[in-house]
Amino acid sequence: MAEIERYEARQSGGLMLNANESSENFPPEILNGLHRALDELAFNRYPDDSCEALHAAYAGYAGLTPGQVLAGNGSDAVLGLMISLCTGSDKPLVTWDPDFSMYDYYASLQKAPIVKVPAGDTEALKEAGKNAGLVVISNPNNPTGLVLSRPEIRALLQAMPHVPVVVDEAYMDFSDQSMLGELEQWPNLYITRTLSKALGAAGLRLGFLVSSEENMARIRPCKVPFGVNAFTQAAGTALLQQADQFDERIRQTVRERQRLLVSLTELQLPVQPSGANFLFLQGAGMEALGQKLEEAGIIVRTWKGKDQIRITVGLPAENDWLLQALRDVTAAGGKETVNADS
Ligand code: PMP
């Protein structure tokens, strides 16, 4: 059996700022629509394998044609599909270091070599990518929050025209460099998107792979049958038709991200600018800081043995709680350990 690193995420505790979820459930109008959709479902029947209504709703939302869209059980599932189709023992996966850990998981299942270049080093990525079975990068990057501009992505696509490149735009709603509008121009461009982040639907498990119609016609027959359940199809369709209800939440997250960035910088914490719904801190004392926050009831993403933490941007009151905890920790003598290299 292949050696696979397990994906683990804490799901309960105090203030959960570790998984880049939305802090709020759907607005009441959307919940009411979902209740109605539930009443109409035939649970005894298999779901629509072609996801016709859902693909049409996503195409309408994203400015694409239904022929460009394939839904999956979270973007995780469509990333897994692309990685299993394009990598293998002689077809490496090329990605950033660091990046979303599930890329490695799926490549390991294929026994594919995994080649990593430092996140943001586009020249190294171009070089390594030329020999890849598949290049996958998240943009904005998880966990650093780094955003590559559209011209930078175009240059990557141009440098390796025969290599499929997946740009994982799970967090792009919090930024403005999406390549969704250029799919037909770039034959090697594939994009994954999710409803788990900006549309606050992590529990629904719904994500999309999009590319040119030609590429999608080749990939569609390879998907698992009935990969998106009937409830998720109905709920996702309803949600996408009212996606503008999330616009203000997204704007608030972006404002709060900026407020936190400024406050954390004032606290002399080693924080980096981010285009996502989280902030990344890297430097001496960060692992200890993660532990202290946990003791204060605030759960952030930590990596064992690494001085880095990732903090999801929460609601304003949650961010106030976080800031107070950080002030307490830094004032209580944590300063030497916390910002030793800032
Ligand atoms: N891509 C990135 C970069 C992520 O951070 C995540 C979730 N944390 C995913 C994809 C998967 O999201 P989902 O399966 O919920 O769509």
Side-chain angles (χ1 to χ4, degrees):
M1 287 247 285
E3 287 282 316
I4 310 291
E5 202 180 317
R6 264 187 69 193
Y7 178 85
E8 285 180 88
R10 275 213 30 194
Q11 292 202 281
S12 61
L15 174 55
M16 302 296 288
L17 300 180
N18 63 329
N20 305 334
E21 299 150 324
S22 164
S23 292
E24 293 174 285
N25 201 349
F26 297 146
E29 302 88 320
I30 291 195
L31 280 176
N32 288 338
L34 298 193
H35 291 147
R36 283 195 299 277
L38 193 60
D39 285 341
E40 286 162 20
L41 277 186
F43 282 104
N44 54 320
R45 301 291 178 196
Y46 282 101
D48 172 16
D49 187 42
S50 65
C51 294
E52 201 178 328
L54 178 61
H55 287 173
Y58 192 74
Y61 162 80
L64 304 171
T65 65
Q68 290 181 283
V69 179
L70 177 65
N73 184 36
S75 56
D76 204 284
V78 286
L79 284 160
L81 175 66
M82 279 301 287
I83 293 169
S84 66
L85 289 176
C86 301
T87 71
S89 52
D90 56 350
K91 292 189 280 184
L93 174 92
V94 173
T95 186
W96 293 136
D97 180 21
D99 211 324
F100 183 41
S101 60
M102 289 303 289
Y103 309 154
D104 300 14
Y105 168 90
Y106 287 116
S108 307
L109 290 181
Q110 301 305 313
K111 301 198 167 49
I114 300 169
V115 179
K116 296 188 183 226
V117 303
D121 187 341
T122 50
E123 290 313 309
L125 192 74
K126 282 179 201 163
E127 208 36 53
K130 284 177 186 155
N131 304 314
L134 184 72
V135 173
V136 186
I137 52 167
S138 56
N139 194 42
N141 174 254
N142 176 11
T144 64
L146 172 89
V147 186
L148 248 54
S149 67
R150 267 192 286 264
E152 284 173 309
I153 297 283
R154 288 181 199 125
L156 286 178
L157 295 165
Q158 210 154 22
M160 41 184 132
H162 304 297
V163 177
V165 177
V166 177
V167 183
D168 173 352
E169 294 190 352
Y171 300 97
M172 192 51 91
D173 297 286
F174 304 104
S175 197
D176 58 2
Q177 295 299 308
S178 176
M179 290 295 286
L180 276 178
E182 300 189 21
L183 286 170
E184 291 294 345
Q185 274 152 261
W186 299 101
N188 57 337
L189 172 61
Y190 298 78
I191 297 176
T192 54
R193 303 277 298 212
T194 181
L195 265 57
S196 301
K197 309 298 176 187
L199 265 57
L204 205 55
R205 308 305 302 128
L206 185 56
F208 296 90
L209 172 69
V210 295
S211 188
S212 67
E213 289 202 359
E214 200 184 324
N215 286 342
M216 295 313 292
R218 271 188 286 113
I219 289 170
R220 208 175 295 284
C222 307
K223 70 170 191 56
V224 292
F226 309 121
V228 183
N229 72 74
F231 180 70
T232 297
Q233 288 194 38
T237 304
L239 193 62
L240 287 163
Q241 285 160 351
Q242 304 173 72
D244 55 349
Q245 297 236 11
F246 294 88
D247 291 352
E248 181 43 37
R249 287 186 183 187
I250 295 170
R251 282 195 288 270
Q252 174 174 276
T253 301
V254 170
R255 282 196 302 271
E256 286 292 299
R257 179 181 75 203
Q258 182 58 20
R259 179 169 78 95
L260 283 179
L261 178 68
V262 170
S263 302
L264 267 57
T265 307
E266 279 166 9
L267 286 169
Q268 293 184 297
L269 290 168
V271 63
Q272 310 180 12
S274 162
N277 64 340
F278 54 80
L279 289 169
F280 187 64
L281 289 76
Q282 189 169 37
M286 288 305 102
E287 192 177 16
L289 179 64
Q291 275 155 14
K292 287 189 184 126
L293 286 173
E294 178 152 354
E295 283 158 24
I298 301 175
I299 313 305
V300 298
R301 177 75 159 98
T302 52
W303 288 263
K304 215 173 169 33
K306 287 192 180 170
D307 261 329
Q308 54 192 40
I309 56 179
R310 190 194 66 200
I311 308 179
T312 305
V313 177
L315 297 171
E318 294 174 331
N319 300 330
D320 288 343
W321 178 3
L322 168 75
L323 286 173
Q324 192 50 53
L326 286 170
R327 280 185 205 110
D328 292 347
V329 169
T330 45
K335 224 172 159 91
E336 317 80 63
T337 45
V338 164
N339 59 18
D341 80 342
S342 62

